[in-house]
Amino acid sequence: MEINITKLSLVELRSPTSAGVFTNANFPRDVEGRTFHLGVKQGDVSSKILSVGDAGRAERIALAHLENRTAPITSSRGFVTHSGYFRGVFVSIIATGMGTSMMDFVVRETRAVVDSSEKMKIIRFGTCGGLQDSDFATTIVVASEGSMLVRREPDLVGENNSFPYSFSRIVPPCPELSAALLDSMQERTRGLIFKSNNENKEKNGKVKTGLDVTADSFYSSQGRTSDAFDDRNEHLLEKLKLAYPTARSCQMETFQLFDLARASLHPISAAAACIILASRATAGAAGSIALKEDVALLELCGGLACLEALTR
Ligand code: R1P
Ligand code: URA
């Protein structure tokens, strides 16, 4: 087979992970200072960041709410950084992907390219499962009480009668940023009309506060059962609610953001909100699922609320 070297090197050039171009094994950057995974350098990213999991959501919020946008920076690791101006303030919206390790890259690599004298603000705006019987899909949960981590512990899986999951302690958000987010979210979602939850339409689009649960899997550590894997998670949600009665949202990144904001030696304020896509409750809202069009509306109005909170 003949290999087209010209095409190959073009692909390599576009890829921030091409071997040999990076310096410093401890914190790799290319010769122009771009980070290894996000592919961003100083000046590309604002100190005010909105992090969302879904690339389409990031693009829709950027198109709807940012002016004078620079060209999005797409990395071959799945991150997309949109930057532009929101009411005259330079902000970035980053499509983060899924899971705590993706959030780890976002926080560490953006902190590395924002001047260390600048205080950063990062808000995560995602989707989640709802854990409370009173919350229907389309509810927005602001993680005012913080976030805790549920991890699957592989060493325990082989043991008899084991419950192979660990529950971390709670890490709080920045109280001021979280309060600003709650305020804007209430303001921007007031009076919206939704179509989900036919019998319970009046329960739609409520903004609530609570404790977030960040899980290291969409499946096992969020209590989704499987007959294909030995997950031993049938009682996970029940145990979680016993240990953390105010647990309200279940998703996959917020804990990492809060934990790194706490650990950062250069200040980072963090807050988070999520749209409930489906209720995981066993009574009340059990089975309620958000319609796509309602989620699209909430993404845009909620995205606006996040940008307002970031730039207050
Ligand atoms: C799982 O479907 C994904 O959705 C949630 C979870 O945290 C996970 O990333 O958030 P996003 O909609 O922001 O991706
Ligand atoms: N994202 C999650 O991680 N869990 C859900 O149940 C919905 C969205």
Side-chain angles (χ1 to χ4, degrees):
M1 188 181 75
E2 211 177 292
I3 296 175
N4 184 332
I5 300 289
T6 318
K7 272 194 186 156
L8 195 73
S9 51
L10 273 179
V11 171
E12 248 191 60
L13 277 175
R14 257 186 258 121
S15 162
T17 54
S18 19
V21 207
F22 282 80
T23 55
N24 186 347
N26 188 58
F27 196 94
R29 298 184 199 238
D30 74 5
V31 286
E32 282 158 5
R34 286 189 196 87
T35 62
F36 196 36
H37 306 90
L38 269 74
V40 293
K41 60 180 184 342
Q42 221 164 15
D44 287 340
V45 185
S46 165
S47 57
K48 297 169 179 53
I49 295 171
L50 173 56
S51 159
V52 306
D54 180 88
R57 184 185 317 140
E59 189 177 10
R60 287 189 289 278
I61 297 174
L63 289 176
H65 301 307
L66 299 193
E67 289 178 333
N68 297 325
R69 292 187 308 277
T70 52
I73 299 167
T74 303
S75 89
S76 64
R77 294 297 191 172
F79 301 97
V80 187
T81 303
H82 301 265
S83 296
Y85 288 81
F86 177 74
R87 298 181 185 159
V89 181
F90 185 55
V91 297
S92 296
I93 301 173
I94 301 184
T96 299
M98 294 181 278
T100 51
S101 55
M102 294 297 271
M103 182 57 89
D104 194 78
F105 288 124
V106 167
V107 178
R108 290 179 192 271
E109 295 193 9
T110 56
R111 186 61 274 188
V113 299
V114 170
D115 198 290
S116 58
S117 65
E118 263 193 89
K119 179 173 181 155
M120 289 181 73
K121 288 185 186 174
I122 308 180
I123 290 181
R124 160 163 162 73
F125 184 40
T127 59
C128 63
L131 299 175
Q132 295 285 329
D133 291 341
S134 56
D135 295 349
F136 282 73
T138 71
T139 297
I140 293 188
V141 182
V142 177
S144 309
E145 289 181 30
S147 180
M148 52 80 62
L149 182 68
V150 177
R151 262 187 316 220
R152 186 172 189 274
E153 297 294 347
D155 286 353
L156 298 180
V157 173
E159 292 177 12
N160 281 342
N161 301 320
S162 71
F163 175 66
Y165 298 90
S166 63
F167 297 166
S168 81
R169 293 191 186 141
I170 297 170
V171 183
C174 162
E176 292 80 21
L177 188 61
S178 198
L181 178 59
L182 176 62
D183 208 45
S184 302
M185 201 56 91
Q186 282 167 332
E187 182 70 27
R188 291 296 163 192
T189 56
R190 191 168 295 137
L192 296 177
I193 311 271
F194 299 97
K195 296 192 173 139
S196 305
N197 304 319
N198 245 336
E199 308 290 303
N200 289 285
K201 281 207 165 57
E202 78 290 351
K203 308 258 169 115
N204 282 334
K206 303 274 183 235
V207 179
K208 302 206 178 162
T209 59
L211 175 67
D212 172 70
V213 174
T214 295
D216 68 356
S217 164
F218 181 82
Y219 298 102
S220 61
S221 43
Q222 291 191 31
R224 291 188 165 90
T225 52
S226 158
D227 48 19
F229 293 91
D230 181 7
D231 283 330
R232 304 179 191 208
N233 64 351
E234 294 77 8
H235 302 295
L236 190 148
L237 291 183
E238 183 181 312
K239 284 180 194 273
L240 187 65
K241 281 165 100 176
L242 265 181
Y244 294 99
T246 57
R248 182 149 243 157
S249 58
C250 189
Q251 49 77 60
M252 298 174 66
E253 295 82 18
T254 296
F255 179 86
Q256 193 72 13
L257 169 61
F258 290 4
D259 184 38
L260 285 182
R262 173 177 68 171
S264 177
L265 301 178
H266 304 295
I268 300 176
S269 302
C274 280
I275 305 163
I276 296 182
L277 288 189
S279 172
R280 308 289 320 287
T282 48
S288 78
I289 296 182
L291 292 175
K292 224 174 160 182
E293 58 215 90
D294 288 349
V295 177
L297 178 64
L298 285 169
E299 280 180 347
L300 284 188
C301 299
L304 176 60
C306 293
L307 293 169
E308 283 178 340
L310 280 171
T311 55
R312 260 189 199 190

